[in-house]
Amino acid sequence: MELQRELEQASKLEAVGQLAAGIAHEINTPTQYIGDNLRFLGGAHQDMTAVLDAYGRLTQAARKNGALREPVAEADAAVEEAMQLR
């Protein structure tokens, strides 16, 4: 009789352990997905910031030089339009 109770108790503990592991997995998977995407977006933001900084220096130099007025004006208009979408 005692052995039977111990086996039932062990079976219950095993079921609770499996349930806890399943719950932990269901919580961890979306959390990991979000974390991975946030890291990607952070890196992409840094890359885009570097590109936009270089673009700014290039258009500033073109404005000072007076060269490429039309393409610089088009680029400025595109930046202005993008800023209005925020």
Side-chain angles (χ1 to χ4, degrees):
M1 198 53 139
E2 180 68 25
L3 180 60
Q4 180 68 23
R5 269 186 342 133
E6 287 181 17
L7 287 174
E8 287 176 6
Q9 184 68 17
S11 178
K12 288 178 186 178
L13 287 174
E14 180 184 3
V16 169
Q18 288 177 349
L19 179 61
I23 290 170
H25 174 74
E26 292 302 319
I27 291 170
N28 188 41
T29 300
T31 302
Q32 184 178 5
Y33 175 79
I34 290 168
D36 290 347
N37 281 291
L38 287 174
R39 279 186 290 282
F40 169 78
L41 290 172
H45 180 265
Q46 287 178 343
D47 293 345
M48 288 304 299
T49 299
V51 168
L52 291 173
D53 288 345
Y55 159 80
R57 290 189 301 274
L58 177 64
T59 55
Q60 185 122 12
R63 269 190 219 96
K64 285 181 183 177
N65 190 2
L68 306 172
R69 289 179 192 210
E70 188 175 323
V72 169
E74 289 174 10
D76 287 340
V79 168
E80 185 65 31
E81 183 178 339
M83 295 302 285
Q84 290 175 2
L85 296 177
R86 290 182 176 190

